[in-house]
Amino acid sequence: MKIQTLTCNRLHGVLSGNERTRFMTMTDHVADVPADPDRKFTEKYCVEIYETRTDMGQAVASDVAKHMRKVAREKGNVRMVFAAAPSQSEMLATLVAMPDLPWDKVTAFHMDDYIGLAADAPQRFGNWLETHLFSMIPSATIHRIPAEGEAEEICQSYSGLLGAEPIDIVCLGIGVNGHIAFNDPPVADFDDPALVRVVDLDEVCRQQQVDDDCFDDLDAVPQRAITLTIPAIMAGEALFCTVPGARKRAAVKAALEGPVSTDCPASILRTHPNCTIYLDREAAPHG
C-alpha cells in the first residue's frame, strides 16, 4: 500500500557568498542547499513511500516494466544498469516474474564489483545478479564487469561498452553512507570525467556488506572495487532508486534534506530530471 507521494520541482540559480536557498520536501521539513558559485541545477524528483518492503518492490518493478515497454516501443532497444544488493531483491523478483517484458531487446550492465575476489565468489555482484536476474532473462544481452584482468583495463573496456549508446534505465539504491554504486563520500565526484573507475571503499561501506550478511567480518570485505561513476549513473534517462529498511533512514534523510554534497553522494539524485525514489515506511525519514 502506498502511503505518500512527495514531489519537488524547483530551479536553483547560482548562489554566491553565504547566500542559501531553501526548499520544502518530505511534507514540511526543510532542506538547505549549499552555496555553489559554479553550479546551476533544477531539483525535480519524486519520492514514493510504501507501507512494506514488498509493496515498495512491487511498485518499483511495475514502473520499471512500464518504462521498459515504452523505450522498447520507441527505440527498439533498452539499455539498463542494475545495482546488486539485497535492497533490490523484491523489485527484481517481481520484475522477472512479469510476463511479456521485452528482455530480448535489453542490453544490461551492472554498477560495480569487487577487486580481488575469486571469479566464482558468491559475494561478487555479477554472481549475485546472475542468481537474481541474469539467469532468468536468457534473451537479454548481458555485460558483466570481468572478474579477472587488470583493473584499469577493465574500466576502459567497460566504459567503452557503457558509453556506446545512451543508458535508458538505471535501477539503483542508496548505501548506509549515502553512496550510489561504490561512490563513497571520500571518493565521490559529481564531475568525474570517467564513466568507470577503480575506488577505495570506506569502512562504513565495507561494514554494510557485513551487516547485509554478505561477508562474515570486515576483514573479509575487499578494500577496492570497480564502479560506475556518478556522472555515468546520472546520464541515465530514467532512474528508479529503491531504498528499504531502517538502517538507510539517516542516509535517506541526508540525501533528501541535506545539502547537495559529496558528503552524501545520493543527494545528487535530487538534480536528476527523471528520478523516483521508493521507500518503505522504515526508511522514510519521518515515516
Side-chain angles (χ1 to χ4, degrees):
M1 180 181 67
K2 184 188 292 187
I3 300 172
Q4 195 171 13
T5 298
L6 308 162
T7 61
C8 178
N9 187 354
R10 186 179 295 271
L11 173 66
H12 296 276
V14 172
L15 308 179
S16 60
N18 293 320
E19 181 184 0
R20 300 167 73 84
T21 298
R22 301 171 74 84
F23 71 95
M24 307 300 290
T25 185
M26 300 295 288
T27 63
D28 291 328
H29 299 281
V30 177
D32 294 327
V33 178
D36 184 341
D38 301 317
R39 187 180 296 275
K40 289 184 179 180
F41 57 85
T42 300
E43 296 199 355
K44 186 177 181 181
Y45 61 93
C46 178
V47 179
E48 296 187 4
I49 304 173
Y50 291 84
E51 182 67 42
T52 70
R53 183 176 178 133
T54 299
D55 292 341
M56 176 204 64
Q58 291 173 347
V60 185
S62 177
D63 289 349
V64 171
K66 289 176 186 175
H67 202 67
M68 288 174 65
R69 293 188 177 103
K70 176 178 181 290
V71 174
R73 185 170 60 251
E74 294 177 354
K75 293 179 54 179
N77 63 85
V78 189
R79 289 167 60 83
M80 304 180 68
V81 175
F82 292 94
S87 64
Q88 308 297 301
S89 295
E90 290 82 4
M91 181 273 289
L92 291 177
T94 303
L95 192 66
V96 298
M98 289 181 170
D100 303 321
L101 286 182
W103 290 113
D104 60 322
K105 301 183 187 303
V106 168
T107 299
F109 301 84
H110 60 109
M111 286 191 171
D112 43 18
D113 217 331
Y114 296 108
I115 294 173
L117 285 183
D120 61 352
Q123 298 94 336
R124 292 196 65 85
F125 290 166
N127 294 339
W128 189 93
L129 281 168
E130 178 68 24
T131 299
H132 291 84
L133 175 65
F134 295 159
S135 64
M136 304 177 197
I137 53 170
S139 62
T141 300
I142 310 296
H143 293 303
R144 297 171 180 80
I145 297 175
E148 298 175 345
E150 169 59 39
E152 294 296 344
E153 292 179 1
I154 291 172
C155 289
Q156 292 179 17
S157 175
Y158 210 66
S159 294
L161 294 169
L162 190 71
E165 296 180 57
I167 296 297
D168 301 299
I169 295 171
V170 179
C171 299
L172 71 156
I174 296 175
V176 170
N177 64 357
H179 72 202
I180 50 177
F182 268 148
N183 296 283
D184 294 332
V187 300
D189 183 353
F190 292 162
D191 300 305
D192 199 319
L195 293 178
V196 185
R197 71 164 58 254
V198 174
V199 292
D200 295 322
L201 304 179
D202 78 6
E203 187 167 318
V204 177
C205 167
R206 295 173 62 233
Q207 182 61 49
Q208 179 184 333
Q209 314 308 314
V210 178
D211 295 339
D212 284 345
D213 296 324
C214 299
F215 293 88
D216 291 336
D217 54 56
L218 188 64
D219 289 341
V221 183
Q223 297 186 22
R224 299 171 74 229
I226 291 171
T227 186
L228 271 62
T229 62
I230 290 174
I233 295 167
M234 293 292 286
E237 187 272 326
L239 273 54
F240 300 85
C241 184
T242 308
V243 196
R247 289 195 296 114
K248 301 290 183 72
R249 181 176 293 173
V252 171
K253 182 177 175 63
L256 295 180
E257 301 182 19
V260 177
S261 163
T262 54
D263 289 343
C264 179
S267 62
I268 195 65
L269 297 175
R270 303 202 316 249
T271 72
H272 193 280
N274 189 13
C275 176
T276 303
I277 299 170
Y278 302 81
L279 310 174
D280 65 359
R281 184 187 285 276
E282 289 187 345
H286 310 285

